[in-house]
Every structure is written in C-alpha cells, then in structure tokens.
Amino acid sequence: MSVTDTPRRDPVERDLTAAPSAPQAKAGRRPRPRIAFPLTARILAINVMALGVLVAGFFYLDHLQRDLMDAKLDALAREATLLAAALGDSAVDTAGTSEPGLDRTAAATLVHRLSLPIDTRALLFDADGTLAVDSWRLPMAPVQTTELPPPDEDRGVLGRAADAAYEWITARLPPRTTVPLHTEPSDPRADDLPKVLSALQGTAGQAMQRTADARLVAVVAAPIQPFRRVQGALLLVADAEDVLESVRNARFTILQAFCIALGITILLSLFFAGTITRPVRRLARAAERVRAGGGRKVAIPDFTARNDEIGRLSAALRDMTEALWVRMDAIERFVADVAHEVKNPLSSVLSAVDTARRVDDEEKRAKLLALVGEDVKRLDRLLSQIADASKIDTELARAQLEPVDIRAMLTTLAEMQGAAASASDAPAATTTLEIEGEGPFAVLGVEDRLAQVLQNLVGNARSFSPPGGTVALGLRRDGAGVVVSVDDDGPGVPAGMEEAIFRRFYTFRPEGETFGAHSGLGLSISRQIAEAHGGRLACTNRYDSAGRVLGASFRLELPAAAPARSSEPG
C-alpha cells in the first residue's frame, strides 16, 4: 500500500562541496590533544595542596612560640620581683649609716639560699651601677654544664632526615620576631645592660635575647627599693631553649601527623582518581577502536551498575554506539533499496532506447519514447522523494519546534479536499472531520512536516476509497497526547501486512492505477516524521459485525504541547 503524496516541486538538492580525498581528510583531522596534567595528578595535587596549606599555616601563623616566650618572661619576672623584695628587706644595710646601701655579703648569702635553677643567673648591681653579686661566681655556686645533643647515630636515618627537613624548612621561613643580642662583658656594668639602667631608674624590664652562641635567653631586670628609693638592681638571665624545644616538639608532632595524613590522602586520592580515570580510559580506548573501524566486535564497557556519572557516561556511549550502528544499518539498507528501485526504471529506459534504435516504425518508436518519458518521470519522482527522506532527520534535528494547532490544520485540509471534490467533474470520496472534546490540540513540531504527514494520509485514503466513499478524519485527546485518525472505505490492508506497508519502496495500489505512479516512500516518510516528533503511526483494518473489512484506519499519535504559562502576575 503506498501513498498519493503531494508532489514536491523542489529539485533534488545536491551537495556541491566535493568530498575530500582520504589523505586530505586524514590531514584535516583535528589532532588529539596531549594530556599535560592527567586527572589523577590534578586530584592528588588539590588534596595535597589543601593539606600543605594547613601545615604551612602552622609554621607561618605560629602563636605557640610567642605564648611560651611570654609565659617564660612572666614567670621569670615574678621570680625577679620576689627576689628583689627579699633583697630589699634583708640585704640593704641601714644600721649606723646615713645612706643605706646594698650589703653584698648578705645579698650573696640570700641568693645562694634561694637555690636558683642551674640555668638561671642572677646579677646584682649597686646603686652606682657596679656589679655586686654574680650567682655563677659565688664560691658555693654549682658547676655550670651544657647538655650536648645526642650523637647522630642514635637518631637513626629517619630521625636525621626529619631533623634535616625541619632545619631546611625553618631556615627558609622569614623571621617572625627580631630577637636582640644579649652581651655580657667579663666585668659587666649597668652601662653595658640597658635593662639594668632602666631598673636603677625604678622601671622593671624584660625581653627575649640571644647570646653570642645563638642560645635563646630570657632577661628580666627589677629594681631593689625597700624604702621607695632604688638601692640597686637585680638582673635574672634564664636559659629559654626549652621554649624552642617545646615549639620544635610541637612542630614535629604536626609534621608526623602531616606525614600520616599525607600518606592517607595520597592513597585515597589515588583510589578515588582510579575509580574515575580507569573507567574513563577504558571508555576512551573503546571509543578510539570504534572510530578506527573496529566494527561491532568493539564493545563499550558497561559501568551502568555504578549509578554515578561514569555509569551514565557508559550508558550514553553504549546507546550512542548502538544508535550509530542502527543508523549505519539503515543507511546500508536505504542505499541497497535505492539501488534496487533505481535499477528497474534504468533497465527499462536502456531496453526501450536500445529497441528504439532498431525499430523503423515511427509509431512503435513513439511508444518507446513515451515509455522512456514515463520512466524518466518515475526516476525524477523517485529521486526527489529519496532526497526528501534522506534529509528529514537532519532537518528536524536543526529545526526550532513550535506549537502547531492540529485542529486548525485538519480543518483547513478538510475544506481544501471538499473544495477540490466540488470543482472536479469526476465522482470523488467525501472528506469529513469529527473533533471530540474541546482540546487543546497543540503539539510541538515543524508545521510543514506535520502537514506533509496529514496530506499523505488523506491522499492515500482518497486513492483507495471508491467514488462516493468517505474519508473520515477524527481528532481527540488521549491523556497527554493528541490522536488523529484517518479512515477510508477501501479494500483495507492485506492480512499480516500492517507493518510492511511502512517499509521503504513497498507498493500496494488499487487496480487500474498506472504502474510506477508512486515510489512507495510516502508512508515510510510519514512514519519517519511522526517518530522524529516523538509520536507513532500505525495502521489497522476496520470490520463490521460480520467480520467483513470496511476499510483501513491510520492512527497518528503525537505528544501534546505543554500549555503556555500566563505572563500576568498571579
């Protein structure tokens, strides 16, 4: 069963752009980009960078060292204040003298009895700035010792590597606090020590300083003034390397935690990246094999069980590849069908031309030329519809879909068919239209192509309906779709051929119709347009109560367009 479709006046469109040769196509192919930074390296760099920022912030924004220094100075200042008060009460000689002064013997005895820490040195100065007592030079003072660092062999390889890394990092950090140099002449005087001068003037002072051998010390000076009069100054110098050691230990603890976290981060990053990059690489390799012409034997890996983006990508690639092969199979079948259909009229033309060369009878020659003309027209009509069918998918893929009113289109079509039947002298089928419901009957699509489908269906029904018959058009809503029915009073569709009539180049025409008047593409194109719009086109027979065939019935289903939203504020 074919279709009496509206002839298209447009000539066959030809591609005037010459296809490039194989070397040119290969040379013009876009080169594949080289991967400078793989995805695994990027994920690893981002995760490690975030962890490194935290550790770097610990080195640069370190409040621990300042807090420990302040605590050290505060404790030493309290100790200096208590010792200065005790010296003011016990070591200032006021008996039998007009001017009280510092009793050096009593001060030395008091300093010794206080048992200062071995790393703390006490210096007492008279009111005139002369050194009176040095706790490290007293006869009973303990021997000063310096604890040496353990030998490198005891630290081990990892310990030495950690020390070297720590020293390398701290040596390149900008200094956070400037520590002045602490100088102690062999016979110091108050003039050599600014803090002592301030204490002799009644002002206590404290500071962190470094010795000549780069050791950190805490320096605190306090005035000795039992009767609101300064009788001397006390200077306490305590070793503060424990502060740096505490900071060092804290940093080593952070570094150890960083190393553990770094190892975990690297492993997790590699695992996480592997769950992404390995499937992507497999998908990319499979796509490359498909592009290289591997054929159907190339299977796209199935990761749909992952239920994530990789799974969706895998499903999309598999569907795309399957659609590609379906399209290629369709193209191959289409080319084979075209070659078969074109070969018949060409053979007829060649045979008629060859016969016309050998025939001398002008009447027979005129008949042969008329036959050639009919075959050429058939070829022209066939090639026009082939060109139309080949560009439908591309045209609909690029077209902007707009709401199309099917009721208005059917109404116009029914009026045109009625006017054409009235103007014709020959008896023709009557076209009726029945609309169920109030609608709306709008669908999203390309108006010209939908009109082509309706014209093909109506023209096909009229060609099979007997004179005086009826072509009944119906329109109704069915849920979320719009349904169009086209019924005729013809002989119907042969049993079992309900799907075959939609195949390309299939022809089943009424008796008496000229052979070759139809290409057999009308219904195939109509279904192709319907499916491109997300709909379907089917055909069945109509029967009476006795089971006799009353005619064919075509059913076109299209998804209804969503109702337009009102622009007025609600």
Side-chain angles (χ1 to χ4, degrees):
M1 187 175 188
S2 184
V3 60
T4 307
D5 47 357
T6 304
R8 299 181 62 88
R9 302 291 184 180
D10 299 337
V12 179
E13 295 186 1
R14 302 177 60 187
D15 188 1
L16 300 180
T17 304
S21 60
Q24 290 175 340
K26 186 174 182 181
R29 183 183 302 162
R30 180 180 300 177
R32 295 175 57 193
R34 299 183 62 184
I35 300 177
F37 299 99
L39 186 60
T40 302
R42 297 181 186 181
I43 294 175
L44 188 61
I46 291 174
N47 291 335
V48 172
M49 186 183 301
L51 192 59
V53 168
L54 296 177
V55 176
F58 175 79
F59 279 97
Y60 281 96
L61 303 177
D62 184 12
H63 298 285
L64 176 62
Q65 180 171 318
R66 290 196 295 270
D67 293 342
L68 291 177
M69 287 183 176
D70 293 341
K72 182 78 173 181
L73 290 173
D74 292 342
L76 191 62
R78 288 193 296 270
E79 187 176 356
T81 301
L82 293 175
L83 182 55
L87 289 171
D89 292 339
S90 305
V92 175
D93 183 12
T94 59
T97 61
S98 58
E99 293 291 338
L102 185 63
D103 187 345
R104 297 188 177 190
T105 302
T109 302
L110 180 60
V111 170
H112 173 67
R113 289 178 178 177
L114 290 176
S115 300
L116 295 173
I118 194 172
D119 61 350
T120 302
R121 183 180 184 183
L123 300 174
L124 273 65
F125 294 86
D126 289 328
D128 59 358
T130 304
L131 179 62
V133 177
D134 184 352
S135 63
W136 283 8
R137 295 181 183 179
L138 295 175
M140 65 292 290
V143 178
Q144 300 298 317
T145 60
T146 301
E147 184 178 356
L148 298 176
D152 290 343
E153 292 77 6
D154 296 341
R155 295 284 293 165
V157 177
L158 294 179
R160 292 196 299 271
D163 289 339
Y166 180 82
E167 295 298 334
W168 185 86
I169 294 175
T170 54
R172 283 157 177 78
L173 293 178
R176 293 178 293 276
T177 304
T178 301
V179 180
L181 181 65
H182 176 70
T183 57
E184 291 185 7
S186 58
D187 188 14
R189 288 183 54 81
D191 298 338
D192 302 325
L193 303 169
K195 298 298 181 184
V196 175
L197 288 177
S198 298
L200 290 177
Q201 295 175 4
T203 303
Q206 61 185 33
M208 280 290 179
Q209 298 180 351
R210 284 195 176 275
T211 61
D213 56 353
R215 292 184 64 85
L216 186 67
V217 293
V219 178
V220 174
I224 301 174
Q225 45 183 1
F227 303 108
R228 295 180 179 271
R229 183 175 180 182
V230 177
Q231 300 297 329
L234 170 65
L235 180 68
L236 292 183
V237 180
D239 185 81
E241 285 294 314
D242 57 333
V243 173
L244 299 181
E245 187 64 25
S246 299
V247 175
R248 181 186 180 94
N249 292 336
R251 285 176 173 170
F252 265 108
T253 302
I254 295 296
L255 285 177
Q256 290 173 359
F258 168 72
C259 292
I260 296 174
L262 179 63
I264 296 175
T265 300
I266 291 176
L267 292 177
L268 291 179
S269 298
L270 292 177
F271 171 76
F272 175 67
T275 60
I276 297 177
T277 57
R278 281 195 297 270
V280 170
R281 283 197 297 266
R282 290 182 59 187
L283 292 174
R285 287 195 295 266
E288 283 292 327
R289 290 195 295 269
V290 172
R291 184 192 62 82
R296 293 183 183 270
K297 64 181 180 181
V298 179
I300 301 297
D302 186 5
F303 298 114
T304 54
R306 290 171 55 116
N307 293 324
D308 57 8
E309 287 78 2
I310 300 296
R312 293 177 60 185
L313 175 62
S314 172
L317 287 177
R318 291 169 63 87
D319 293 343
M320 182 186 69
T321 305
E322 184 63 26
L324 175 64
W325 289 120
V326 170
R327 180 60 60 85
M328 292 181 66
D329 292 342
I331 292 175
E332 291 177 358
R333 291 194 301 269
F334 185 77
V335 171
D337 293 343
V338 168
H340 174 73
E341 293 297 322
V342 171
K343 186 176 181 180
N344 290 334
L346 281 180
S347 299
S348 176
V349 168
L350 291 176
S351 176
V353 170
D354 184 62
T355 304
R357 291 174 179 173
R358 297 192 299 268
V359 172
D360 296 331
D361 189 347
E362 293 296 332
E363 182 179 355
K364 293 182 179 179
R365 182 175 296 176
K367 292 182 179 180
L368 289 174
L369 291 178
L371 179 62
V372 170
E374 292 295 329
D375 286 334
V376 170
K377 291 180 181 179
R378 178 184 173 192
L379 276 175
D380 179 69
R381 182 170 53 254
L382 179 64
L383 292 177
S384 298
Q385 291 196 348
I386 288 174
D388 188 34
S390 65
K391 67 181 181 180
I392 285 178
D393 287 340
T394 303
E395 177 184 322
L396 293 179
R398 296 176 180 176
Q400 182 68 33
L401 301 183
E402 298 179 352
V404 178
D405 189 354
I406 300 298
R407 174 164 50 187
M409 188 176 294
L410 283 176
T411 302
T412 303
L413 183 60
E415 293 175 353
M416 291 176 58
Q417 294 295 331
S422 301
S424 176
D425 296 333
T430 303
T431 303
T432 64
L433 174 61
E434 180 180 357
I435 300 176
E436 299 181 13
E438 297 297 328
F441 300 104
V443 301
L444 282 180
V446 180
E447 184 174 5
D448 291 344
R449 288 300 182 179
L450 292 177
Q452 180 182 354
V453 173
L454 296 178
Q455 289 174 356
N456 286 347
L457 295 179
V458 172
N460 186 78
R462 289 179 62 84
S463 67
F464 278 91
S465 294
T470 302
V471 175
L473 306 181
L475 176 64
R476 62 185 176 87
R477 285 294 299 266
D478 184 8
V482 175
V483 179
V484 177
S485 61
V486 180
D487 301 339
D488 62 48
D489 294 338
V493 181
M497 303 304 292
E498 290 82 358
E499 284 297 318
I501 61 174
F502 293 103
R503 292 202 302 261
R504 284 189 298 267
F505 306 113
Y506 177 86
T507 56
F508 173 73
R509 301 307 307 168
E511 294 183 2
E513 189 171 273
T514 303
F515 173 77
H518 301 277
S519 63
L521 286 173
L523 290 179
S524 174
I525 292 175
S526 298
R527 171 172 278 190
Q528 185 180 0
I529 295 174
E531 292 178 348
H533 283 79
R536 58 187 299 267
L537 177 62
C539 177
T540 57
N541 283 330
R542 297 187 299 112
Y543 300 91
D544 60 9
S545 58
R548 293 190 300 268
V549 176
L550 297 179
S553 175
F554 286 85
R555 178 186 174 97
L556 173 64
E557 300 178 7
L558 295 171
R565 296 182 179 179
S566 176
S567 59
E568 298 179 0

